[in-house]
Amino acid sequence: MASQFGHNIRVSIFGQSHSRAIGVNIDGLPAGEAVDLEEAGRFLARRAPGKAPYATARREADAPVVLSGLVDGYTCGAPLCAIIENKDARSKDYEQLRDLPRPSHADYTAYVKYGKYHDIRGGGHFSGRLTAPLCFAGAVALQILARRGIWVGAHIAAIAGVEDAPFDPVDLTAEQLLAPGRSPFPVVEDSAGQRMREQIEQARLDQDSVGGIVECAALGVPAGLGEPMFDGLENRLAAALFGIPAVRGVEFGTGFAAAALRGSQHNDPFSQQPDGTVRTRTNHHGGILGGISSGMPILLRCAFKPTPSISQPQQTVSLSAHQDRTLVIEGRHDPCVVPRAVPCVEAAVALVLLDLIL
Amino acid sequence: MASQFGHNIRVSIFGQSHSRAIGVNIDGLPAGEAVDLEEAGRFLARRAPGKAPYATARREADAPVVLSGLVDGYTCGAPLCAIIENKDARSKDYEQLRDLPRPSHADYTAYVKYGKYHDIRGGGHFSGRLTAPLCFAGAVALQILARRGIWVGAHIAAIAGVEDAPFDPVDLTAEQLLAPGRSPFPVVEDSAGQRMREQIEQARLDQDSVGGIVECAALGVPAGLGEPMFDGLENRLAAALFGIPAVRGVEFGTGFAAAALRGSQHNDPFSQQPDGTVRTRTNHHGGILGGISSGMPILLRCAFKPTPSISQPQQTVSLSAHQDRTLVIEGRHDPCVVPRAVPCVEAAVALVLLDLIL
Amino acid sequence: MASQFGHNIRVSIFGQSHSRAIGVNIDGLPAGEAVDLEEAGRFLARRAPGKAPYATARREADAPVVLSGLVDGYTCGAPLCAIIENKDARSKDYEQLRDLPRPSHADYTAYVKYGKYHDIRGGGHFSGRLTAPLCFAGAVALQILARRGIWVGAHIAAIAGVEDAPFDPVDLTAEQLLAPGRSPFPVVEDSAGQRMREQIEQARLDQDSVGGIVECAALGVPAGLGEPMFDGLENRLAAALFGIPAVRGVEFGTGFAAAALRGSQHNDPFSQQPDGTVRTRTNHHGGILGGISSGMPILLRCAFKPTPSISQPQQTVSLSAHQDRTLVIEGRHDPCVVPRAVPCVEAAVALVLLDLIL
Amino acid sequence: MASQFGHNIRVSIFGQSHSRAIGVNIDGLPAGEAVDLEEAGRFLARRAPGKAPYATARREADAPVVLSGLVDGYTCGAPLCAIIENKDARSKDYEQLRDLPRPSHADYTAYVKYGKYHDIRGGGHFSGRLTAPLCFAGAVALQILARRGIWVGAHIAAIAGVEDAPFDPVDLTAEQLLAPGRSPFPVVEDSAGQRMREQIEQARLDQDSVGGIVECAALGVPAGLGEPMFDGLENRLAAALFGIPAVRGVEFGTGFAAAALRGSQHNDPFSQQPDGTVRTRTNHHGGILGGISSGMPILLRCAFKPTPSISQPQQTVSLSAHQDRTLVIEGRHDPCVVPRAVPCVEAAVALVLLDLIL
């Protein structure tokens, strides 16, 4: 059940980087939900590669074909399956990797687990390309959530140590939330984005790569959603988010920084609102208390490691010769996956929230 | 299914802080596994409260009674259920909390979800006391793992900004791994522990609390364990760890710090060992690549927020009067849960590893 | 996960025939549901042994103790765990069975699966005694369903070939449905019940046993409940019902008899009702079409094999000597489990329906 | 999660009768398993329609296209997804059914559940056509099981009351088990098959349909497979088998007939074999005791209702006019689905066994 998640909806992702197609099956969507495929296409375009200089040059059509579950633009209650054909697959690039596992990739662990049968081409099922069907599923979820007044957005919080301004944890508006996603480089402050792009370009010139952090928020999530202990919002969100390649950490609200605060600093005072609702004056808790939503903005951050594919010579081993070897990875690769990861984070969060709301 | 996790074994935790008993049911344990209840009791004692000055004064017997699943000290294949009676429950302390939710506690979200039926006494099912049965289950898992050469240990990595020395990510020995757990204050460097205790004591004197970070490692996990995408080691470990109250972030290997590194710094070179195995020279990946174990030490860190129960007056609302109110929480509370959280992290990690190995 | 079922609620049963206690944990019950423990006790009494001549003479207190999840008679949202202590356990009866597996019992398969660690005493976890916690959980579910206008009842449809009158598949009333359960011998027609008891008594005198069939119905289940394919009403009901020891077959509506009918006989014509609802004129479909409830009474039948414990000498093998042996099972046993199985069937059906409705 | 089943492998079926494609995704297959697509095609051909006179005239190419999970004929560890395009879809036949639900079909319950969004064309997701991807998945499972010495086969046990000879419950050989599947009309005794075909032809001439029973057996299943209570062989097999359209009952071993037997007749004596194994002299238990395999042949039977689509005028209602109506279903339909259901039963059983063995 490796490539599935969800309880009320079940999202199953399939495909390898160079298989005939990749795709996603979503079981459990309610009937009668409009799905705007053009809007989904625009969402998918946000993770599409090929936007120089910070993305790989492999161009993918990435036009999802819906096989089932949709009739005249509406979900019909049956599982919604969509596939994306793999067209531009240059398999020759990858053959040496079967013997020389790339550092920080899954080549070695996949070899241990699957032996010689692992589909090494393009990273196989471990490829970042598998986030395309995740994003398609997320696009469907975002449309359903939006009709219920729930909005999910994300931005690049940091790249190579350059930090963007954070979302306002208390007074974040939907307009502020969604603005970064409308830009080709999704940040809150353009000046930060400019400095991040300089870092990425410098890494590229150095045949190196950089990592970063994505901050994501959800607005409109009603209070009372989630469960205590092992099935709370954090548990489910984290389990989904670690399914995105290169994620190394997930934190909610003030997260790791909370560890250095005192209770008097971190506790969020409650406040009665004139409209009858209860809010908190600060939002260190990131909209989640005891695994259950509080009605405040849900806030989380994901750390992404630097792209492991770099052009510099690296030390590895020959699995056949049992000797150390030097590896030079050829081809062009993203010096930074973070900008393309932003919609992936939104997709994972949207799918978990939809799962919980149904 | 809020209070359950696991696939091959299923750990179900039940009880409230002031219910007749709390407990855990573990379904799916293999038959024929010896369970040393005295050793489990010693493990449980590591999370027991009452060790002044940094723990709550409530004294709990916490002696688990095994109801089923164990015959003459060996698992019999049937579900293992153990309970701990709640004896020292002073319910009167908590009555005002039904109307005045404590900041950063689950009182408010539980009220939204369960209404007036929520068991407010001692935090009900959200109480940190529910980690006692988690630890009992973890103790059973640790014993089974140890017989298979797998060791799990943790220490306080930081409290209130005071940092302990980290585990050696590459050459960590079982002795080093388990040493902190044998100490009443589980740290690698005693001097750091001393400074941490001073911070805790100062917070207590200030009617305040402090948070911290727990680092956990597992040795002996064979390479090839785990699954890609949504059922990998990170996904499962994070989903379990966020079940521990007060956890706000989980990171693996270099974690959030990886976001500021370059690929050439973060990638872990492979190295052929004379004994035929493959290892990495560094361990930024924390023993997990593509969701699958690499054979290197598994490394993770959990951030804990400062104890939300503090004695200072705090702002909250009256749920009945719909007005802001000032709350003073009475009774004594841990100014820092982190020392007691160390075995909880070990327990959650052990249960996930056991689940994956079976 | 052997001893669990359910999606929205999760029912976990634990214990062995001679363990300290047996019990059940129900995770996922909504908060605010009244649970009348006296009424649950009356339901539980319907499966209690000791009613001569057709039941085993072992007397069990069978008074469930609620450990958690219930506050002042209402569910609080936390898992509801209840246990029943095992008091009257005569373990000496069972020792020879470790070497000489009883025909048609699970002794042999448990030996293969668990080896010498299987708890052989009283059948261990395979004992019919484990239906006591199932019935307690079912009693809770029945109370919650009743408040939503859903009623579940069952009767003995046949014992040893003697048939009771069936429930009216179309016009069954709640009164008719629940009447058998109020009788010490739950049948529709007392004369059939009298003949059944004669069969049971004759079997007892012959040191033999008899099997039978239980018919169960549910009224008030709204149309539209269930899912297509593998998660429909039949799938879930059957999966739960086969968890009752001795069940060998499950059928819905006309069931196996439908295999000999023509479509023109078996198809149920739809009919518009004056009150605006749609009903069928006949009910061969047993209230389920495509895995989804139709609004008609849900009808199902379970076949129970004859009690495998009989006093006659039987052929078995010595697992240690690897030789054929003759076994004489001592002690007193039910010559027919069917009367006591009636509430078990109701319990399993009620729990599945509750799971689907939440 | 309606259209999924399995624990270690997860089989997800998608598609509607007239969607662009139907298909199946199998997550969790081990790497390195050869899949012979030609052999799978031959298995799939056994359920293919168009074999006059007893099958619908709709001709389907039914050639599955593998999208992922297979490299050079071997599973690679990634999910295996295969699709079958829907080419010969005559949607005009079905439009009136949106208003006039067909008796004994899921039209009405799907209308209640999904409203006007249900894909009414050809029965949508409820169509028997969805058993094609089930059979493809089953074909893959059968190949993997065969390499482990496990064989699954089935035959028509009865149609319209005409009975075939049963499988030998004790001494069944693989040759006997697989022989019916090699025939275009899968029975043990050709003379019975001839009489069955006469019944089908007569029903067809009468514009009617007939039901039947499929018996299935599995050989080579090692003793000790399965779990007690709710996750046993019966529970899982039944849950999967009721996913096949038109199944109304499932029984194991002697099944419903056991209800009329005495214990002395039904109990299966154990017998020590010269080769060291333990067998039973009879096999009323159908190879399963306490949910766990005994090593004897696994035996089960499924009842299929008569095809609900018949050409005779039938009574139904107009969902828009809220009035009774007469419906005449046009087009050609199978007067009996049982012959085509035989490989579907084998597929479901094989997938459950594979799931349990992994």
Side-chain angles (χ1 to χ4, degrees):
Chain A
M1 293 183 283
S3 303
Q4 304 196 344
F5 70 98
H7 299 226
N8 295 310
I9 58 168
R10 189 88 191 159
V11 178
S12 311
I13 290 179
F14 53 85
Q16 303 108 254
S17 181
H18 289 54
S19 63
R20 188 155 178 160
I22 58 178
V24 61
N25 184 39
I26 318 173
D27 197 344
L29 289 176
E33 294 289 341
V35 176
D36 182 334
L37 291 176
E38 286 194 20
E39 189 178 323
R42 283 191 294 274
F43 184 78
L44 219 54
R46 288 176 52 200
R47 75 156 285 288
K51 294 175 185 161
Y54 54 89
T56 171
R58 177 175 171 188
R59 294 192 169 279
E60 300 159 336
D62 274 3
V65 176
V66 174
L67 297 184
S68 68
L70 213 58
V71 178
D72 299 336
Y74 288 85
T75 56
C76 67
L80 193 164
C81 184
I83 62 171
I84 300 170
E85 281 189 64
N86 283 323
K87 287 170 181 164
D88 178 20
R90 291 184 295 173
S91 298
K92 60 180 159 48
D93 286 347
Y94 300 99
E95 199 46 42
Q96 70 160 338
L97 301 178
R98 193 174 294 280
D99 191 44
L100 303 181
R102 293 168 296 177
S104 274
H105 273 279
D107 298 346
Y108 174 67
T109 53
Y111 162 79
V112 173
K113 188 174 178 70
Y114 305 123
K116 66 175 183 179
Y117 298 102
H118 173 54
D119 187 357
I120 195 73
R121 301 168 299 163
H125 190 57
F126 296 85
S127 166
R129 179 151 172 70
L130 272 291
T131 57
L134 175 69
C135 281
F136 176 78
V140 172
L142 284 165
Q143 294 181 24
I144 298 175
L145 289 173
R147 276 192 292 275
R148 287 157 174 79
I150 298 173
W151 307 93
V152 178
H155 71 108
I156 306 172
I159 280 181
V162 178
E163 293 190 7
D164 190 18
F167 282 142
D168 184 319
V170 175
D171 295 318
L172 180 66
T173 65
E175 175 55 30
Q176 292 167 337
L177 175 72
L178 302 177
R182 298 199 185 103
S183 153
F185 197 85
V187 286
V188 170
E189 289 188 349
D190 284 342
S191 59
Q194 181 56 36
R195 292 198 305 281
M196 289 175 188
R197 281 195 297 269
E198 290 165 8
Q199 289 288 327
I200 296 171
E201 175 64 6
Q202 187 59 51
R204 189 182 69 80
L205 294 173
D206 297 344
Q207 299 187 306
D208 213 333
S209 64
V210 287
I213 295 171
V214 172
E215 184 186 38
C216 183
L219 290 179
V221 177
L225 204 68
E227 301 284 340
M229 300 208 77
F230 303 108
D231 212 17
L233 275 167
E234 295 108 328
N235 311 260
R236 290 205 194 186
L237 286 165
L241 289 164
F242 279 112
I244 302 172
V247 170
R248 302 305 290 152
V250 172
E251 61 182 5
F252 296 89
T254 302
F256 275 87
L261 297 182
R262 284 190 159 195
S264 58
Q265 298 168 305
H266 184 267
N267 285 0
D268 298 309
F270 287 108
S271 165
Q272 182 70 44
Q273 301 299 300
D275 66 358
T277 63
V278 171
R279 290 172 58 82
T280 56
R281 295 177 196 274
T282 51
N283 189 10
H284 295 289
H285 72 289
I288 310 173
L289 289 169
I292 301 170
S293 60
S294 70
M296 292 298 290
I298 289 177
L299 297 167
L300 61 91
R301 288 158 40 108
C302 298
F304 287 81
K305 68 180 181 186
T307 315
S309 290
I310 58 175
S311 307
Q312 299 176 26
Q314 296 185 83
Q315 291 306 304
T316 187
V317 294
S318 162
L319 295 172
S320 60
H322 303 291
Q323 292 181 334
D324 288 358
R325 288 287 161 82
T326 298
L327 170 71
V328 176
I329 300 176
E330 300 187 351
R332 283 173 288 183
H333 297 92
D334 273 9
C336 184
V337 299
V338 181
R340 295 175 59 195
V342 169
C344 303
V345 171
E346 295 175 8
V349 170
L351 286 162
V352 170
L353 292 177
L354 178 60
D355 188 30
L356 274 159
I357 274 169
L358 293 176
Chain B
M1 294 181 283
S3 303
Q4 303 196 343
F5 70 99
H7 298 227
N8 295 311
I9 57 168
R10 191 91 190 156
V11 179
S12 311
I13 290 178
F14 52 85
Q16 303 107 253
S17 181
H18 289 55
S19 62
R20 187 155 178 160
I22 58 178
V24 62
N25 184 37
I26 318 173
D27 196 345
L29 288 177
E33 295 288 344
V35 175
D36 182 335
L37 290 176
E38 286 194 20
E39 189 179 322
R42 284 190 294 274
F43 185 78
L44 219 56
R46 287 177 52 199
R47 76 156 285 289
K51 294 176 188 162
Y54 54 89
T56 171
R58 177 176 170 187
R59 294 195 168 277
E60 301 159 336
D62 274 3
V65 176
V66 175
L67 298 184
S68 67
L70 212 58
V71 178
D72 299 336
Y74 288 86
T75 57
C76 67
L80 194 164
C81 185
I83 63 170
I84 300 170
E85 281 190 65
N86 283 323
K87 288 170 181 164
D88 179 21
R90 293 184 293 174
S91 297
K92 59 179 161 47
D93 285 349
Y94 300 99
E95 200 45 43
Q96 70 161 338
L97 301 178
R98 194 175 293 281
D99 191 43
L100 304 180
R102 293 167 296 175
S104 275
H105 272 279
D107 299 346
Y108 174 68
T109 54
Y111 163 78
V112 173
K113 187 173 180 71
Y114 304 122
K116 67 176 182 178
Y117 299 102
H118 173 53
D119 187 356
I120 195 74
R121 303 168 298 162
H125 190 58
F126 296 86
S127 165
R129 178 149 171 72
L130 272 291
T131 57
L134 175 68
C135 281
F136 175 78
V140 173
L142 285 165
Q143 294 182 24
I144 298 175
L145 289 173
R147 278 193 291 274
R148 287 156 174 79
I150 298 173
W151 307 94
V152 178
H155 70 109
I156 306 172
I159 280 180
V162 178
E163 295 189 8
D164 190 18
F167 282 143
D168 184 318
V170 174
D171 295 317
L172 180 65
T173 65
E175 176 55 32
Q176 292 167 336
L177 175 73
L178 302 177
R182 298 200 185 103
S183 154
F185 197 85
V187 287
V188 171
E189 290 188 349
D190 285 342
S191 59
Q194 182 55 36
R195 292 198 306 281
M196 290 175 187
R197 282 194 296 269
E198 291 164 8
Q199 289 288 327
I200 296 171
E201 176 63 9
Q202 187 59 51
R204 190 181 68 80
L205 294 173
D206 297 344
Q207 298 187 307
D208 213 334
S209 63
V210 287
I213 296 171
V214 172
E215 184 186 37
C216 183
L219 290 179
V221 177
L225 204 68
E227 299 284 340
M229 300 207 78
F230 303 109
D231 213 16
L233 275 167
E234 294 109 329
N235 311 260
R236 290 205 194 185
L237 286 165
L241 289 163
F242 279 112
I244 302 171
V247 171
R248 302 306 289 151
V250 173
E251 61 183 3
F252 296 89
T254 302
F256 274 87
L261 296 183
R262 282 191 160 194
S264 58
Q265 298 169 304
H266 184 267
N267 286 0
D268 297 311
F270 287 108
S271 165
Q272 183 69 45
Q273 301 300 301
D275 65 357
T277 63
V278 170
R279 289 174 58 85
T280 58
R281 295 176 196 274
T282 52
N283 188 10
H284 295 289
H285 72 288
I288 310 173
L289 288 170
I292 301 169
S293 60
S294 70
M296 293 297 291
I298 289 177
L299 297 167
L300 60 91
R301 287 158 40 106
C302 298
F304 287 81
K305 68 180 182 187
T307 315
S309 290
I310 57 175
S311 307
Q312 300 175 27
Q314 298 185 83
Q315 292 304 304
T316 185
V317 294
S318 161
L319 295 172
S320 60
H322 304 291
Q323 290 180 336
D324 288 356
R325 289 286 162 81
T326 298
L327 170 71
V328 175
I329 300 176
E330 300 187 353
R332 282 173 289 182
H333 297 92
D334 272 8
C336 184
V337 298
V338 180
R340 296 175 60 196
V342 169
C344 303
V345 170
E346 295 176 9
V349 169
L351 286 162
V352 170
L353 293 178
L354 178 61
D355 187 31
L356 275 160
I357 273 168
L358 293 176
Chain C
M1 292 182 286
S3 304
Q4 304 196 344
F5 71 98
H7 299 227
N8 295 310
I9 57 168
R10 190 90 188 157
V11 179
S12 311
I13 291 178
F14 53 85
Q16 304 107 253
S17 181
H18 289 54
S19 62
R20 189 154 177 160
I22 58 178
V24 61
N25 184 38
I26 318 173
D27 197 344
L29 288 177
E33 295 288 343
V35 175
D36 182 334
L37 290 176
E38 286 194 21
E39 188 178 323
R42 283 191 294 274
F43 184 78
L44 219 55
R46 288 176 51 200
R47 75 156 283 290
K51 294 175 186 160
Y54 53 91
T56 170
R58 177 175 171 188
R59 294 195 168 278
E60 301 158 335
D62 275 3
V65 176
V66 175
L67 298 184
S68 67
L70 212 58
V71 178
D72 299 336
Y74 289 85
T75 57
C76 67
L80 193 164
C81 184
I83 62 170
I84 301 170
E85 282 189 65
N86 282 323
K87 289 169 181 163
D88 179 21
R90 292 183 294 173
S91 297
K92 60 179 159 51
D93 285 347
Y94 300 99
E95 199 45 43
Q96 69 160 337
L97 301 178
R98 194 175 293 280
D99 190 44
L100 303 180
R102 293 168 295 176
S104 274
H105 273 279
D107 299 345
Y108 174 67
T109 53
Y111 163 79
V112 173
K113 187 172 179 72
Y114 305 122
K116 67 175 181 178
Y117 298 102
H118 172 55
D119 187 356
I120 195 73
R121 302 168 299 164
H125 190 56
F126 297 85
S127 165
R129 178 149 173 73
L130 273 290
T131 57
L134 175 69
C135 281
F136 175 78
V140 173
L142 285 165
Q143 294 182 24
I144 298 175
L145 289 173
R147 278 193 291 274
R148 287 157 174 77
I150 298 173
W151 307 95
V152 178
H155 70 109
I156 306 171
I159 281 181
V162 177
E163 295 189 6
D164 190 19
F167 282 143
D168 184 319
V170 175
D171 296 317
L172 181 65
T173 65
E175 176 54 32
Q176 292 168 336
L177 175 72
L178 302 177
R182 299 199 184 103
S183 154
F185 197 85
V187 286
V188 172
E189 289 188 349
D190 285 341
S191 59
Q194 182 55 37
R195 291 198 305 281
M196 291 176 187
R197 282 195 295 268
E198 290 164 8
Q199 289 288 327
I200 296 171
E201 175 63 8
Q202 188 57 51
R204 190 182 68 80
L205 294 173
D206 296 346
Q207 298 188 305
D208 214 333
S209 64
V210 287
I213 295 171
V214 172
E215 184 187 36
C216 182
L219 289 179
V221 177
L225 204 69
E227 299 284 341
M229 301 206 77
F230 303 108
D231 213 17
L233 274 167
E234 296 107 328
N235 310 259
R236 290 205 193 185
L237 286 165
L241 289 164
F242 278 111
I244 303 171
V247 171
R248 303 305 290 152
V250 173
E251 62 182 3
F252 297 89
T254 302
F256 274 86
L261 296 182
R262 283 191 159 193
S264 58
Q265 297 169 305
H266 184 267
N267 286 0
D268 298 310
F270 287 108
S271 165
Q272 183 69 45
Q273 300 299 301
D275 66 359
T277 63
V278 171
R279 289 174 57 84
T280 57
R281 296 176 195 274
T282 51
N283 189 10
H284 294 290
H285 73 288
I288 310 172
L289 288 170
I292 302 169
S293 60
S294 70
M296 293 296 291
I298 289 177
L299 297 167
L300 61 90
R301 287 158 41 106
C302 299
F304 287 82
K305 69 180 181 187
T307 316
S309 289
I310 58 175
S311 308
Q312 299 176 28
Q314 297 185 82
Q315 291 305 303
T316 186
V317 293
S318 162
L319 295 172
S320 61
H322 305 290
Q323 291 181 334
D324 288 356
R325 288 286 162 82
T326 298
L327 170 71
V328 175
I329 300 176
E330 300 188 352
R332 282 172 289 181
H333 297 92
D334 273 8
C336 184
V337 299
V338 180
R340 294 175 60 195
V342 169
C344 304
V345 170
E346 295 175 10
V349 169
L351 286 162
V352 171
L353 292 178
L354 178 61
D355 187 31
L356 275 159
I357 273 168
L358 293 176
Chain D
M1 295 182 282
S3 304
Q4 303 196 345
F5 70 99
H7 299 225
N8 296 309
I9 57 168
R10 190 89 189 157
V11 179
S12 311
I13 290 178
F14 52 86
Q16 304 106 255
S17 181
H18 289 56
S19 62
R20 189 155 176 161
I22 58 178
V24 62
N25 184 39
I26 318 172
D27 197 344
L29 289 177
E33 294 290 341
V35 175
D36 182 333
L37 291 176
E38 286 194 20
E39 191 179 320
R42 283 190 295 272
F43 184 78
L44 219 55
R46 287 177 51 199
R47 74 155 286 289
K51 294 177 186 161
Y54 55 88
T56 170
R58 178 175 171 188
R59 295 193 167 277
E60 301 158 337
D62 274 4
V65 176
V66 175
L67 298 184
S68 67
L70 212 58
V71 178
D72 299 336
Y74 288 85
T75 56
C76 67
L80 194 163
C81 184
I83 63 170
I84 302 170
E85 282 190 63
N86 283 324
K87 288 170 179 163
D88 178 21
R90 291 183 295 173
S91 297
K92 61 180 159 46
D93 286 347
Y94 300 99
E95 199 46 41
Q96 71 161 336
L97 301 179
R98 194 175 293 280
D99 191 44
L100 304 180
R102 293 167 295 176
S104 275
H105 273 278
D107 298 346
Y108 174 68
T109 53
Y111 163 79
V112 173
K113 188 172 179 71
Y114 305 123
K116 67 176 182 178
Y117 299 102
H118 173 54
D119 187 356
I120 194 73
R121 302 167 301 163
H125 190 57
F126 297 85
S127 166
R129 180 152 171 70
L130 272 292
T131 56
L134 175 68
C135 280
F136 176 78
V140 172
L142 285 165
Q143 294 181 26
I144 298 175
L145 290 173
R147 277 193 291 276
R148 287 156 174 79
I150 298 173
W151 307 94
V152 178
H155 70 109
I156 306 171
I159 281 180
V162 177
E163 295 189 7
D164 191 19
F167 282 142
D168 184 318
V170 174
D171 295 318
L172 181 66
T173 65
E175 176 54 32
Q176 291 168 337
L177 175 73
L178 302 177
R182 299 199 184 103
S183 153
F185 197 86
V187 286
V188 171
E189 289 189 349
D190 285 342
S191 59
Q194 182 55 37
R195 292 198 304 281
M196 290 175 186
R197 281 194 297 268
E198 290 165 8
Q199 289 288 327
I200 297 171
E201 175 64 8
Q202 188 58 50
R204 190 182 68 80
L205 294 174
D206 296 345
Q207 299 188 306
D208 214 332
S209 64
V210 286
I213 295 171
V214 172
E215 183 187 37
C216 182
L219 290 179
V221 177
L225 205 69
E227 300 283 341
M229 301 208 76
F230 303 110
D231 213 17
L233 275 167
E234 296 108 328
N235 311 260
R236 289 205 194 186
L237 286 165
L241 289 163
F242 278 112
I244 302 173
V247 170
R248 303 305 289 151
V250 173
E251 61 182 4
F252 297 88
T254 302
F256 275 86
L261 296 183
R262 284 190 158 195
S264 58
Q265 298 168 305
H266 184 267
N267 286 1
D268 298 309
F270 288 108
S271 165
Q272 183 69 44
Q273 301 299 301
D275 66 357
T277 63
V278 170
R279 289 173 58 83
T280 57
R281 296 176 195 274
T282 52
N283 189 9
H284 295 289
H285 72 289
I288 310 173
L289 288 170
I292 301 171
S293 60
S294 70
M296 292 297 291
I298 289 177
L299 296 168
L300 61 91
R301 288 158 40 107
C302 298
F304 288 82
K305 69 181 181 186
T307 316
S309 290
I310 58 175
S311 307
Q312 298 177 27
Q314 296 184 84
Q315 291 305 304
T316 186
V317 294
S318 163
L319 295 171
S320 60
H322 303 290
Q323 291 181 336
D324 287 358
R325 287 288 161 80
T326 298
L327 169 71
V328 175
I329 300 176
E330 299 187 354
R332 282 172 289 182
H333 297 92
D334 272 8
C336 184
V337 299
V338 180
R340 295 175 60 194
V342 169
C344 302
V345 170
E346 295 175 9
V349 170
L351 286 162
V352 170
L353 292 178
L354 179 60
D355 188 30
L356 275 159
I357 274 170
L358 293 175

